[in-house]
Amino acid sequence: MKKSNSFYGYSLILAFFMLFLAARSQLNTDFYNTSCPNLLTIVRTQVQNAIKVETRMAASLLRLHFHDCFVNGCDGSILLDGSDGEKFALPNLNSVRGFEVVDNIKSSVESACPGVVSCADILAIAARDSVLLSGGPIWKVLLGRRDGLVANQTGANNGLPSPFDNLGNITLKFANVGLNVTDVVSLSGGHTIGQARCAVFSNRLYNFSGPGIPDSTLDTNMLSDLQNLCPVNGDGNKTTFLDRNSTDLFDNHYFQNLLNQKGLLGSDQILFSSDEAKTTTQSLVQSYSTNPSRFFADFLNSMIKMGNISPLTGSNGEIRKNCRVVNS
Ligand code: HEM
Ligand SMILES: *[C@@H]1O[C@H](CO)[C@@H](O)[C@H](O)[C@H]1NC(C)=O
Ligand SMILES: *[C@@H]1O[C@H](CO)[C@@H](O)[C@H](O)[C@H]1NC(C)=O
Ligand SMILES: *[C@@H]1O[C@H](CO)[C@@H](O)[C@H](O)[C@H]1NC(C)=O
Ligand SMILES: *[C@@H]1O[C@H](CO)[C@@H](O)[C@H](O)[C@H]1NC(C)=O
Ligand SMILES: *[C@@H]1O[C@H](CO)[C@@H](O)[C@H](O)[C@H]1NC(C)=O
Ligand SMILES: *[C@@H]1O[C@H](CO)[C@@H](O)[C@H](O)[C@H]1NC(C)=O
Ligand SMILES: *[C@@H]1O[C@H](CO)[C@@H](O)[C@H](O)[C@H]1NC(C)=O
Protein backbone atom coordinates (compact mmCIF):
# COMPACT_ATOMS: atom_id res chain seq x y z
CA MET A 1 0.00 0.00 0.00
CA LYS A 2 2.72 2.40 1.10
CA LYS A 3 4.93 1.41 -1.82
CA SER A 4 2.17 2.08 -4.32
CA ASN A 5 1.46 5.51 -2.77
CA SER A 6 5.05 6.61 -3.18
CA PHE A 7 5.07 5.12 -6.68
CA TYR A 8 2.15 7.37 -7.63
CA GLY A 9 3.84 10.25 -5.88
CA TYR A 10 7.03 9.83 -7.91
CA SER A 11 5.06 9.36 -11.12
CA LEU A 12 3.20 12.57 -10.45
CA ILE A 13 6.43 14.46 -9.79
CA LEU A 14 7.96 12.97 -12.95
CA ALA A 15 4.91 13.92 -14.99
CA PHE A 16 5.03 17.51 -13.75
CA PHE A 17 8.76 17.65 -14.40
CA MET A 18 8.29 16.50 -17.98
CA LEU A 19 5.44 18.94 -18.49
CA PHE A 20 7.72 21.68 -17.16
CA LEU A 21 10.50 20.68 -19.58
CA ALA A 22 8.09 20.56 -22.51
CA ALA A 23 6.69 24.00 -21.70
CA ARG A 24 10.11 25.50 -21.10
CA SER A 25 11.87 24.43 -24.28
CA GLN A 26 9.65 23.03 -26.95
CA LEU A 27 12.42 22.74 -29.51
CA ASN A 28 15.30 20.29 -29.13
CA THR A 29 18.40 19.19 -31.01
CA ASP A 30 17.31 15.55 -31.47
CA PHE A 31 13.84 16.17 -32.88
CA TYR A 32 14.40 14.33 -36.19
CA ASN A 33 16.95 11.75 -34.97
CA THR A 34 14.65 8.81 -35.64
CA SER A 35 12.21 10.33 -38.15
CA CYS A 36 14.90 11.79 -40.45
CA PRO A 37 18.34 10.62 -39.32
CA ASN A 38 20.23 12.06 -42.31
CA LEU A 39 18.58 15.48 -42.23
CA LEU A 40 21.61 17.46 -41.09
CA THR A 41 23.89 15.81 -43.64
CA ILE A 42 21.43 16.42 -46.46
CA VAL A 43 21.06 20.12 -45.65
CA ARG A 44 24.80 20.61 -45.14
CA THR A 45 25.57 19.08 -48.54
CA GLN A 46 22.94 21.17 -50.30
CA VAL A 47 24.10 24.41 -48.66
CA GLN A 48 27.69 23.55 -49.53
CA ASN A 49 26.74 23.03 -53.18
CA ALA A 50 24.76 26.26 -53.32
CA ILE A 51 27.65 28.27 -51.89
CA LYS A 52 29.99 26.67 -54.40
CA VAL A 53 27.76 27.96 -57.19
CA GLU A 54 27.44 31.41 -55.62
CA THR A 55 29.36 32.51 -52.52
CA ARG A 56 26.74 35.14 -51.64
CA MET A 57 24.12 32.43 -51.08
CA ALA A 58 25.44 31.90 -47.53
CA ALA A 59 24.45 35.48 -46.70
CA SER A 60 21.11 35.20 -48.44
CA LEU A 61 20.17 32.03 -46.53
CA LEU A 62 21.18 33.57 -43.19
CA ARG A 63 18.99 36.58 -43.91
CA LEU A 64 16.00 34.41 -44.89
CA HIS A 65 15.96 32.80 -41.43
CA PHE A 66 16.15 36.25 -39.78
CA HIS A 67 13.31 37.66 -41.90
CA ASP A 68 11.27 34.51 -41.24
CA CYS A 69 11.68 34.65 -37.46
CA PHE A 70 10.83 38.35 -37.04
CA VAL A 71 7.42 37.90 -38.67
CA ASN A 72 4.93 35.62 -36.87
CA GLY A 73 7.87 33.71 -35.42
CA CYS A 74 10.11 31.17 -37.17
CA ASP A 75 7.32 29.49 -39.12
CA GLY A 76 8.48 29.51 -42.75
CA SER A 77 5.97 32.28 -43.52
CA ILE A 78 8.49 34.20 -45.64
CA LEU A 79 8.62 31.29 -48.09
CA LEU A 80 4.93 31.48 -49.04
CA ASP A 81 4.21 32.72 -52.57
CA GLY A 82 1.22 34.89 -53.45
CA SER A 83 0.45 38.56 -53.83
CA ASP A 84 -0.26 38.88 -50.09
CA GLY A 85 3.07 37.22 -49.32
CA GLU A 86 5.86 38.64 -47.18
CA LYS A 87 8.08 38.57 -50.28
CA PHE A 88 6.29 41.73 -51.42
CA ALA A 89 6.78 43.63 -48.17
CA LEU A 90 9.10 46.62 -48.56
CA PRO A 91 12.08 45.16 -46.62
CA ASN A 92 11.92 42.01 -48.79
CA LEU A 93 10.92 43.21 -52.27
CA ASN A 94 13.73 42.85 -54.84
CA SER A 95 15.92 42.02 -51.88
CA VAL A 96 15.51 38.64 -50.17
CA ARG A 97 16.78 35.73 -52.21
CA GLY A 98 17.60 32.03 -51.98
CA PHE A 99 14.10 30.61 -52.47
CA GLU A 100 15.24 28.23 -55.23
CA VAL A 101 17.97 26.87 -52.96
CA VAL A 102 15.40 26.28 -50.21
CA ASP A 103 13.23 24.44 -52.77
CA ASN A 104 16.18 22.20 -53.64
CA ILE A 105 16.94 21.44 -50.01
CA LYS A 106 13.28 20.72 -49.33
CA SER A 107 12.99 18.29 -52.23
CA SER A 108 16.11 16.37 -51.15
CA VAL A 109 14.74 16.20 -47.62
CA GLU A 110 11.30 15.10 -48.88
CA SER A 111 12.92 12.27 -50.89
CA ALA A 112 14.62 10.96 -47.76
CA CYS A 113 11.82 11.56 -45.23
CA PRO A 114 8.55 12.61 -46.83
CA GLY A 115 6.20 14.84 -44.85
CA VAL A 116 8.37 15.00 -41.75
CA VAL A 117 10.63 18.08 -41.74
CA SER A 118 9.27 21.65 -41.64
CA CYS A 119 10.41 24.43 -43.95
CA ALA A 120 10.97 26.59 -40.86
CA ASP A 121 13.51 24.06 -39.54
CA ILE A 122 15.21 23.85 -42.93
CA LEU A 123 15.75 27.63 -42.79
CA ALA A 124 17.23 27.37 -39.29
CA ILE A 125 19.65 24.59 -40.30
CA ALA A 126 20.60 26.31 -43.57
CA ALA A 127 21.36 29.56 -41.70
CA ARG A 128 23.54 27.72 -39.19
CA ASP A 129 25.41 25.91 -41.97
CA SER A 130 25.86 29.13 -43.96
CA VAL A 131 27.56 30.81 -41.01
CA LEU A 132 29.76 27.78 -40.35
CA LEU A 133 30.78 27.36 -44.00
CA SER A 134 31.67 31.08 -44.17
CA GLY A 135 34.15 30.67 -41.31
CA GLY A 136 31.84 31.50 -38.41
CA PRO A 137 30.92 29.62 -35.24
CA ILE A 138 28.95 26.38 -35.08
CA TRP A 139 26.11 25.62 -32.71
CA LYS A 140 23.59 22.83 -32.17
CA VAL A 141 20.48 23.98 -33.93
CA LEU A 142 17.21 23.49 -32.07
CA LEU A 143 14.50 21.75 -34.09
CA GLY A 144 10.82 20.88 -34.01
CA ARG A 145 9.26 24.01 -35.50
CA ARG A 146 6.17 23.57 -37.64
CA ASP A 147 5.14 25.66 -40.63
CA GLY A 148 2.65 28.52 -40.41
CA LEU A 149 -0.57 28.64 -42.39
CA VAL A 150 -0.48 32.36 -43.23
CA ALA A 151 1.90 35.00 -44.49
CA ASN A 152 1.84 38.42 -42.83
CA GLN A 153 2.84 41.21 -45.20
CA THR A 154 1.82 43.95 -42.76
CA GLY A 155 3.78 42.21 -40.03
CA ALA A 156 6.84 42.16 -42.31
CA ASN A 157 6.47 45.85 -43.16
CA ASN A 158 6.10 46.85 -39.51
CA GLY A 159 8.26 44.30 -37.73
CA LEU A 160 11.43 44.10 -39.81
CA PRO A 161 14.09 46.69 -39.03
CA SER A 162 14.84 49.26 -41.74
CA PRO A 163 18.26 50.62 -42.70
CA PHE A 164 16.73 54.09 -42.24
CA ASP A 165 15.57 53.44 -38.66
CA ASN A 166 17.23 55.15 -35.74
CA LEU A 167 18.72 53.02 -32.96
CA GLY A 168 15.68 53.41 -30.71
CA ASN A 169 13.48 52.07 -33.46
CA ILE A 170 15.71 49.09 -34.14
CA THR A 171 16.01 48.27 -30.46
CA LEU A 172 12.22 48.42 -30.14
CA LYS A 173 11.68 46.07 -33.07
CA PHE A 174 14.10 43.58 -31.52
CA ALA A 175 12.47 43.97 -28.09
CA ASN A 176 9.08 43.24 -29.69
CA VAL A 177 10.33 39.73 -30.49
CA GLY A 178 12.11 39.22 -27.16
CA LEU A 179 15.62 40.23 -28.24
CA ASN A 180 17.73 42.73 -26.30
CA VAL A 181 20.46 45.27 -27.07
CA THR A 182 23.21 42.63 -26.96
CA ASP A 183 21.26 40.70 -29.60
CA VAL A 184 20.94 43.86 -31.73
CA VAL A 185 24.72 44.28 -31.84
CA SER A 186 25.77 40.64 -32.14
CA LEU A 187 23.20 39.81 -34.81
CA SER A 188 24.04 42.95 -36.79
CA GLY A 189 27.41 41.24 -37.11
CA GLY A 190 25.62 39.04 -39.67
CA HIS A 191 26.53 41.91 -42.01
CA THR A 192 30.06 40.52 -42.05
CA ILE A 193 28.93 38.64 -45.18
CA GLY A 194 26.65 39.54 -48.08
CA GLN A 195 25.71 42.57 -50.11
CA ALA A 196 23.33 45.52 -50.16
CA ARG A 197 21.76 47.58 -52.95
CA CYS A 198 22.36 51.27 -53.60
CA ALA A 199 18.65 51.76 -52.80
CA VAL A 200 19.26 51.03 -49.10
CA PHE A 201 22.26 53.29 -48.46
CA SER A 202 22.39 56.00 -51.17
CA ASN A 203 20.46 58.31 -48.82
CA ARG A 204 23.78 58.73 -46.99
CA LEU A 205 25.72 59.84 -50.08
CA TYR A 206 24.29 63.20 -51.17
CA ASN A 207 21.74 65.21 -49.19
CA PHE A 208 21.93 63.40 -45.87
CA SER A 209 22.15 66.42 -43.56
CA GLY A 210 21.10 69.13 -45.99
CA PRO A 211 21.77 69.96 -49.65
CA GLY A 212 25.14 68.56 -50.73
CA ILE A 213 26.03 67.26 -47.28
CA PRO A 214 26.62 63.50 -47.06
CA ASP A 215 26.58 61.46 -43.86
CA SER A 216 29.51 62.78 -41.84
CA THR A 217 29.96 59.39 -40.18
CA LEU A 218 30.95 57.79 -43.51
CA ASP A 219 34.67 57.54 -44.33
CA THR A 220 35.44 59.96 -47.19
CA ASN A 221 37.29 57.45 -49.40
CA MET A 222 34.47 54.99 -49.04
CA LEU A 223 32.02 57.83 -49.75
CA SER A 224 33.57 58.57 -53.14
CA ASP A 225 33.66 54.85 -53.99
CA LEU A 226 29.99 54.57 -53.18
CA GLN A 227 29.10 57.77 -55.06
CA ASN A 228 30.72 56.26 -58.14
CA LEU A 229 28.78 53.06 -57.69
CA CYS A 230 25.48 54.82 -56.93
CA PRO A 231 25.20 58.07 -58.91
CA VAL A 232 22.11 60.26 -58.49
CA ASN A 233 19.25 58.59 -60.40
CA GLY A 234 21.45 55.54 -61.03
CA ASP A 235 20.47 51.89 -60.80
CA GLY A 236 19.19 51.33 -57.26
CA ASN A 237 19.65 47.58 -57.67
CA LYS A 238 23.42 47.70 -57.98
CA THR A 239 25.07 46.03 -55.01
CA THR A 240 28.24 46.24 -52.97
CA PHE A 241 29.65 44.32 -50.01
CA LEU A 242 28.43 44.94 -46.49
CA ASP A 243 31.91 44.17 -45.13
CA ARG A 244 34.44 45.54 -47.62
CA ASN A 245 37.37 44.25 -45.61
CA SER A 246 36.64 40.52 -45.87
CA THR A 247 33.60 40.28 -48.10
CA ASP A 248 32.67 36.61 -47.76
CA LEU A 249 34.35 35.64 -44.52
CA PHE A 250 32.36 35.44 -41.31
CA ASP A 251 34.65 37.36 -38.95
CA ASN A 252 34.60 40.45 -36.71
CA HIS A 253 35.81 42.92 -39.36
CA TYR A 254 32.27 44.31 -39.59
CA PHE A 255 32.85 45.82 -36.14
CA GLN A 256 36.35 47.08 -36.99
CA ASN A 257 34.77 48.79 -39.99
CA LEU A 258 32.32 50.62 -37.73
CA LEU A 259 35.22 52.02 -35.66
CA ASN A 260 36.69 53.29 -38.96
CA GLN A 261 33.41 54.82 -40.20
CA LYS A 262 33.19 52.13 -42.84
CA GLY A 263 29.77 50.74 -42.07
CA LEU A 264 27.71 50.50 -45.25
CA LEU A 265 24.17 50.99 -43.97
CA GLY A 266 23.02 53.85 -41.80
CA SER A 267 21.70 51.20 -39.39
CA ASP A 268 25.20 49.70 -39.19
CA GLN A 269 27.13 52.89 -38.49
CA ILE A 270 24.69 54.19 -35.84
CA LEU A 271 25.60 51.21 -33.62
CA PHE A 272 28.92 52.96 -33.09
CA SER A 273 28.52 56.61 -34.11
CA SER A 274 25.10 57.81 -32.99
CA ASP A 275 24.49 59.73 -29.78
CA GLU A 276 22.17 56.94 -28.61
CA ALA A 277 25.00 54.43 -29.13
CA LYS A 278 27.18 56.09 -26.47
CA THR A 279 25.00 54.76 -23.66
CA THR A 280 23.89 51.55 -25.35
CA THR A 281 25.73 49.77 -28.19
CA GLN A 282 29.05 51.57 -28.71
CA SER A 283 31.04 49.75 -26.04
CA LEU A 284 29.90 46.35 -27.29
CA VAL A 285 30.88 47.24 -30.88
CA GLN A 286 34.28 48.20 -29.54
CA SER A 287 34.59 44.94 -27.64
CA TYR A 288 33.62 42.76 -30.61
CA SER A 289 36.08 44.64 -32.82
CA THR A 290 39.00 43.44 -30.70
CA ASN A 291 37.57 40.19 -29.37
CA PRO A 292 36.36 37.88 -32.14
CA SER A 293 35.66 34.99 -29.77
CA ARG A 294 33.32 37.16 -27.69
CA PHE A 295 31.52 38.12 -30.92
CA PHE A 296 31.21 34.46 -31.96
CA ALA A 297 29.96 33.37 -28.53
CA ASP A 298 27.36 36.15 -28.37
CA PHE A 299 26.34 35.71 -32.01
CA LEU A 300 25.54 32.02 -31.64
CA ASN A 301 23.67 32.65 -28.40
CA SER A 302 21.59 35.33 -30.14
CA MET A 303 20.98 33.09 -33.16
CA ILE A 304 19.55 30.41 -30.87
CA LYS A 305 17.38 33.06 -29.18
CA MET A 306 16.20 34.34 -32.57
CA GLY A 307 15.46 30.77 -33.68
CA ASN A 308 13.22 30.40 -30.63
CA ILE A 309 10.87 33.25 -31.52
CA SER A 310 7.28 31.94 -31.22
CA PRO A 311 7.74 28.54 -32.84
CA LEU A 312 4.66 26.53 -33.77
CA THR A 313 4.90 23.13 -32.10
CA GLY A 314 2.77 20.11 -31.25
CA SER A 315 -0.27 20.09 -33.49
CA ASN A 316 -0.11 23.79 -34.39
CA GLY A 317 0.62 24.66 -38.01
CA GLU A 318 1.65 21.88 -40.37
CA ILE A 319 4.59 20.26 -42.14
CA ARG A 320 4.39 21.88 -45.55
CA LYS A 321 4.99 19.61 -48.55
CA ASN A 322 6.07 22.52 -50.74
CA CYS A 323 7.63 25.45 -48.90
CA ARG A 324 5.89 27.96 -51.21
CA VAL A 325 2.28 26.93 -50.49
CA VAL A 326 0.26 25.70 -47.52
CA ASN A 327 -1.00 22.12 -47.84
CA SER A 328 -4.53 21.97 -49.22
C1 HEM B 1 19.71 45.39 -37.12
C2 HEM B 1 18.82 45.55 -38.04
C3 HEM B 1 19.04 45.18 -39.48
C4 HEM B 1 18.82 45.97 -40.55
C5 HEM B 1 18.27 47.38 -40.54
C6 HEM B 1 19.20 45.22 -41.71
C7 HEM B 1 19.09 45.67 -43.01
C8 HEM B 1 19.62 45.04 -44.11
C9 HEM B 1 19.58 45.56 -45.45
C10 HEM B 1 18.93 46.89 -45.85
C11 HEM B 1 20.23 44.69 -46.25
C12 HEM B 1 20.45 44.83 -47.77
C13 HEM B 1 19.14 44.57 -48.47
C14 HEM B 1 19.15 44.97 -49.93
O1 HEM B 1 20.18 45.38 -50.45
O2 HEM B 1 18.11 44.85 -50.55
C15 HEM B 1 20.66 43.60 -45.44
C16 HEM B 1 21.36 42.51 -45.89
C17 HEM B 1 21.72 41.45 -45.10
N1 HEM B 1 21.36 41.26 -43.77
FE1 HEM B 1 20.56 42.62 -42.54
N2 HEM B 1 19.65 44.00 -41.33
C18 HEM B 1 19.56 43.92 -39.97
C19 HEM B 1 19.87 42.82 -39.21
C20 HEM B 1 20.32 41.62 -39.70
C21 HEM B 1 20.39 40.40 -38.95
C22 HEM B 1 19.89 40.22 -37.53
C23 HEM B 1 20.91 39.45 -39.77
C24 HEM B 1 21.22 38.00 -39.49
C25 HEM B 1 21.71 37.59 -38.36
C26 HEM B 1 21.17 40.09 -41.04
C27 HEM B 1 21.74 39.49 -42.13
C28 HEM B 1 21.89 40.08 -43.36
C29 HEM B 1 22.66 39.49 -44.44
C30 HEM B 1 23.46 38.20 -44.36
C31 HEM B 1 22.53 40.34 -45.54
C32 HEM B 1 23.11 40.13 -46.95
C33 HEM B 1 22.12 39.30 -47.74
C34 HEM B 1 22.56 38.98 -49.16
O3 HEM B 1 23.66 39.30 -49.57
O4 HEM B 1 21.74 38.38 -49.88
N3 HEM B 1 20.76 41.39 -40.97
N4 HEM B 1 20.26 43.82 -44.13
C1 LIG C 1 20.81 12.70 -32.21
O1 LIG C 1 21.73 12.84 -33.26
C2 LIG C 1 22.81 13.68 -32.95
C3 LIG C 1 23.62 13.91 -34.21
O2 LIG C 1 23.80 12.74 -34.92
C4 LIG C 1 23.61 13.07 -31.81
O3 LIG C 1 24.69 13.91 -31.46
C5 LIG C 1 22.71 12.87 -30.62
O4 LIG C 1 23.40 12.20 -29.58
C6 LIG C 1 21.47 12.07 -30.99
N1 LIG C 1 20.56 12.09 -29.85
C7 LIG C 1 19.89 11.02 -29.45
C8 LIG C 1 18.97 11.21 -28.29
O5 LIG C 1 20.01 9.93 -29.99
C1 LIG D 1 0.74 40.07 -38.32
O1 LIG D 1 1.73 40.64 -37.49
C2 LIG D 1 1.22 41.56 -36.54
C3 LIG D 1 2.41 42.14 -35.80
O2 LIG D 1 3.04 43.06 -36.63
C4 LIG D 1 0.26 40.87 -35.59
O3 LIG D 1 -0.27 41.80 -34.68
C5 LIG D 1 -0.86 40.22 -36.39
O4 LIG D 1 -1.68 39.46 -35.54
C6 LIG D 1 -0.29 39.31 -37.47
N1 LIG D 1 -1.37 38.85 -38.34
C7 LIG D 1 -1.52 37.57 -38.69
C8 LIG D 1 -2.64 37.25 -39.61
O5 LIG D 1 -0.78 36.69 -38.30
C1 LIG E 1 10.68 55.37 -34.92
O1 LIG E 1 10.55 56.12 -36.10
C2 LIG E 1 9.44 56.97 -36.14
C3 LIG E 1 9.41 57.58 -37.50
O2 LIG E 1 9.32 56.60 -38.49
C4 LIG E 1 9.53 57.98 -35.03
O3 LIG E 1 8.38 58.80 -35.05
C5 LIG E 1 9.65 57.27 -33.71
O4 LIG E 1 9.86 58.19 -32.69
C6 LIG E 1 10.78 56.27 -33.72
N1 LIG E 1 10.80 55.49 -32.53
C7 LIG E 1 11.82 55.47 -31.70
C8 LIG E 1 11.71 54.55 -30.54
O5 LIG E 1 12.81 56.15 -31.85
C1 LIG F 1 20.63 40.00 -23.34
O1 LIG F 1 20.27 38.66 -23.07
C2 LIG F 1 21.37 37.81 -22.79
C3 LIG F 1 20.81 36.43 -22.54
O2 LIG F 1 20.42 35.88 -23.77
C4 LIG F 1 22.13 38.30 -21.57
O3 LIG F 1 23.26 37.49 -21.35
C5 LIG F 1 22.59 39.72 -21.84
O4 LIG F 1 23.24 40.22 -20.71
C6 LIG F 1 21.40 40.60 -22.18
N1 LIG F 1 21.87 41.93 -22.54
C7 LIG F 1 21.33 43.04 -22.09
C8 LIG F 1 21.91 44.32 -22.56
O5 LIG F 1 20.39 43.01 -21.33
C1 LIG G 1 19.98 67.35 -53.23
O1 LIG G 1 19.41 68.59 -52.99
C2 LIG G 1 19.51 69.47 -54.07
C3 LIG G 1 19.03 70.85 -53.62
O2 LIG G 1 17.93 70.74 -52.78
C4 LIG G 1 18.70 68.90 -55.24
O3 LIG G 1 18.80 69.74 -56.36
C5 LIG G 1 19.23 67.53 -55.59
O4 LIG G 1 18.42 66.91 -56.58
C6 LIG G 1 19.26 66.63 -54.37
N1 LIG G 1 19.96 65.39 -54.69
C7 LIG G 1 19.49 64.20 -54.35
C8 LIG G 1 20.34 63.02 -54.71
O5 LIG G 1 18.44 64.03 -53.78
C1 LIG H 1 15.14 46.71 -59.21
O1 LIG H 1 14.78 45.71 -60.15
C2 LIG H 1 13.39 45.42 -60.17
C3 LIG H 1 13.16 44.29 -61.16
O2 LIG H 1 14.10 43.29 -60.99
C4 LIG H 1 12.61 46.64 -60.56
O3 LIG H 1 11.22 46.35 -60.56
C5 LIG H 1 12.88 47.74 -59.56
O4 LIG H 1 12.25 48.92 -59.92
C6 LIG H 1 14.38 48.00 -59.42
N1 LIG H 1 14.57 48.85 -58.24
C7 LIG H 1 15.35 49.92 -58.24
C8 LIG H 1 15.48 50.65 -56.95
O5 LIG H 1 15.95 50.31 -59.24
C1 LIG I 1 41.28 44.58 -43.29
O1 LIG I 1 41.64 44.88 -41.95
C2 LIG I 1 42.98 44.59 -41.63
C3 LIG I 1 43.23 44.92 -40.18
O2 LIG I 1 42.16 44.53 -39.38
C4 LIG I 1 43.91 45.39 -42.50
O3 LIG I 1 45.23 45.04 -42.24
C5 LIG I 1 43.59 45.12 -43.97
O4 LIG I 1 44.36 45.98 -44.78
C6 LIG I 1 42.12 45.35 -44.27
N1 LIG I 1 41.83 44.93 -45.63
C7 LIG I 1 41.05 45.61 -46.44
C8 LIG I 1 40.84 45.04 -47.81
O5 LIG I 1 40.49 46.64 -46.12
Side-chain angles (χ1 to χ4, degrees):
M1 202 57 180
K2 193 167 182 233
K3 187 175 175 186
S4 122
N5 272 343
S6 69
F7 172 77
Y8 284 120
Y10 283 127
S11 304
L12 210 64
I13 290 169
L14 191 70
F16 274 115
F17 181 66
M18 287 171 69
L19 207 69
F20 170 76
L21 278 185
R24 230 175 76 92
S25 69
Q26 301 183 313
L27 304 180
N28 65 79
T29 55
D30 306 327
F31 192 82
Y32 298 108
N33 267 28
T34 49
S35 59
C36 196
N38 294 326
L39 172 63
L40 296 180
T41 312
I42 295 169
V43 177
R44 177 72 55 85
T45 304
Q46 291 284 331
V47 172
Q48 222 153 11
N49 291 342
I51 296 174
K52 228 175 278 169
V53 172
E54 189 200 20
T55 311
R56 184 185 179 188
M57 192 49 66
S60 305
L61 291 172
L62 171 58
R63 188 165 184 241
L64 271 185
H65 179 49
F66 157 48
H67 280 208
D68 181 31
C69 291
F70 266 57
V71 183
N72 284 21
C74 311
D75 67 345
S77 57
I78 193 174
L79 302 174
L80 292 171
D81 279 341
S83 57
D84 61 345
E86 294 169 23
K87 294 172 183 181
F88 293 97
L90 212 62
N92 289 333
L93 185 66
N94 300 320
S95 181
V96 283
R97 53 205 298 286
F99 298 107
E100 297 77 13
V101 171
V102 175
D103 290 338
N104 290 342
I105 301 173
K106 175 66 171 173
S107 69
S108 305
V109 169
E110 285 297 299
S111 310
C113 346
V116 167
V117 180
S118 69
C119 299
D121 278 343
I122 286 174
L123 286 182
I125 303 167
R128 188 275 306 265
D129 288 353
S130 293
V131 169
L132 176 70
L133 295 169
S134 304
I138 186 165
W139 62 94
K140 289 201 159 191
V141 61
L142 294 173
L143 300 168
R145 300 168 191 82
R146 291 166 64 84
D147 295 320
L149 304 175
V150 294
N152 190 343
Q153 199 174 99
T154 313
N157 274 316
N158 298 335
L160 289 168
S162 153
F164 314 119
D165 275 345
N166 62 35
L167 190 49
N169 256 318
I170 289 174
T171 305
L172 183 63
K173 286 174 178 175
F174 275 66
N176 286 341
V177 293
L179 299 177
N180 67 22
V181 169
T182 308
D183 302 314
V184 169
V185 182
S186 65
L187 291 174
S188 291
H191 291 174
T192 177
I193 55 175
Q195 305 177 23
R197 297 171 303 144
C198 290
V200 298
F201 60 82
S202 58
N203 66 312
R204 306 181 67 201
L205 308 181
Y206 299 102
N207 290 346
F208 188 76
S209 358
I213 309 174
D215 188 337
S216 63
T217 66
L218 178 58
D219 171 83
T220 51
N221 288 323
M222 183 163 157
L223 172 67
S224 31
D225 274 7
L226 295 178
Q227 285 175 334
N228 283 329
L229 180 77
C230 316
V232 178
N233 299 323
D235 178 3
N237 286 321
K238 267 202 199 155
T239 67
T240 188
F241 296 104
L242 282 157
D243 169 9
R244 300 158 77 77
N245 185 294
S246 50
T247 55
D248 304 316
L249 192 62
F250 196 101
D251 58 16
N252 70 333
H253 288 162
Y254 167 82
F255 297 102
Q256 297 175 4
N257 293 341
L258 298 185
L259 266 60
N260 295 318
Q261 304 202 315
K262 289 180 180 171
L264 182 61
L265 309 179
S267 53
D268 293 325
Q269 195 58 51
I270 55 171
L271 297 175
F272 181 74
S273 301
S274 64
D275 284 338
E276 304 154 283
K278 290 181 183 122
T279 53
T280 53
T281 53
Q282 191 183 67
S283 59
L284 201 52
V285 169
Q286 223 141 13
S287 172
Y288 291 155
S289 77
T290 58
N291 191 343
S293 42
R294 182 174 184 198
F295 165 49
F296 277 19
D298 284 3
F299 180 82
L300 77 84
N301 180 56
S302 298
M303 283 295 291
I304 292 168
K305 270 172 89 173
M306 186 173 84
N308 264 319
I309 299 172
S310 313
L312 297 170
T313 56
S315 58
N316 294 320
E318 63 180 12
I319 303 300
R320 246 177 252 156
K321 291 187 176 70
N322 171 346
C323 291
R324 294 173 180 269
V325 289
V326 298
N327 301 338
S328 48

